[in-house]
Every structure is written in structure tokens, then in C-alpha cells.
């Protein structure tokens, strides 16, 4: 299958605290702009699959899952706390840019 750019959001909309879920080609994605970075991750907590769109963005550069409070580093994808090292990392997708839009090549 050919890879194609799928636009998700206008760059000008990416302000601090931005967090929005998308579904692209059957993949649940979560676009986040937080702590001076934009990241695209799978909208699924590696602990028990709860959608991370309901999570809380915390400093520095992490998201706390609403279900059991595990914090995931948005830079490394790793879980913090007692379960660190036992959970999968967040699944990250590389961002793609076209014109004034940010998106993903899927
Ligand atoms: S499902 Fe996310 S911390 Fe448990």
C-alpha cells in the first residue's frame, strides 16, 4: 500500500495543552502539543488500553493516564513509577508536515 500524507491539524492551532484524538486508516491516534513539543502517539495506554485522550498533560513532558495514574514520558514513551520497565512504551508515530499542516504518513 502506498504511503500518503494525511493532514491532522493546522500548525497555528497547536498551542500549549493541545490534545486531540483522530482515527486514520483504522489507527487511533492522539496528537499532543505540550511542553514545547508536538508528538503523535497511539491513543491507547500500554497498561490496560484506556484511551489516553482522557489523560492529563503534566510537566515535564508527560501524560498521566486517567485510569490508574501511570505517567508516560512523551519524549521517550517510557512509563514512570513502580511499573516502569514492565510496560510497553507509548507507540509513537513520526509527524509529517505539508504547508501549514501537520499530519502523518500512513
Ligand atoms: S490503563 Fe492507563 S494506567 Fe492503567
Amino acid at each position: 500500500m502506498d504511503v500518503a500524507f494525511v493532514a491532522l491539524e493546522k500548525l497555528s492551532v497547536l498551542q500549549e495543552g493541545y490534545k486531540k484524538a483522530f482515527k486514520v486508516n483504522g489507527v487511533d491516534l492522539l496528537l499532543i502539543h505540550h511542553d514545547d513539543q508536538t508528538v503523535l502517539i497511539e491513543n491507547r495506554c500500554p497498561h490496560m488500553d484506556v484511551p489516553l485522550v482522557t489523560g492529563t498533560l503534566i510537566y515535564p513532558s508527560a501524560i498521566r493516564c486517567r485510569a490508574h495514574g501511570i505517567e508516560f514520558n512523551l519524549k521517550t514513551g517510557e512509563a514512570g513509577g513502580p511499573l516502569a520497565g514492565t510496560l510497553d512504551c507509548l507507540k509513537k508515530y513520526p509527524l509529517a508536515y505539508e504547508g501549514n499542516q501537520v499530519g502523518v504518513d500512513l
Side-chain angles (χ1 to χ4, degrees), residues 45 47-50 65 67-70:
C45 178
H47 181 223
M48 291 179 75
D49 298 340
V50 170
C65 180
H68 310 102
I70 296 175

Side-chain angles (χ1 to χ4, degrees), residues 42-69:
E42 186 178 12
N43 186 18
R44 182 187 69 84
C45 178
H47 181 223
M48 291 179 75
D49 298 340
V50 170
L52 282 172
V53 69
T54 60
T56 304
L57 298 174
I58 56 174
Y59 291 91
S61 194
I63 187 166
R64 180 188 298 128
C65 180
R66 186 163 164 246
H68 310 102

Side-chain angles (χ1 to χ4, degrees), residues 22-78:
F22 297 88
K23 193 167 193 124
V24 178
N25 294 348
V27 182
D28 288 312
L29 299 170
L30 182 61
L31 181 64
I32 292 171
H33 185 81
H34 174 56
D35 205 5
D36 288 330
Q37 68 168 344
T38 305
V39 293
L40 184 63
I41 61 174
E42 186 178 12
N43 186 18
R44 182 187 69 84
C45 178
H47 181 223
M48 291 179 75
D49 298 340
V50 170
L52 282 172
V53 69
T54 60
T56 304
L57 298 174
I58 56 174
Y59 291 91
S61 194
I63 187 166
R64 180 188 298 128
C65 180
R66 186 163 164 246
H68 310 102
I70 296 175
E71 297 175 4
F72 292 88
N73 185 307
L74 291 172
K75 288 188 199 301
T76 65
E78 292 171 351

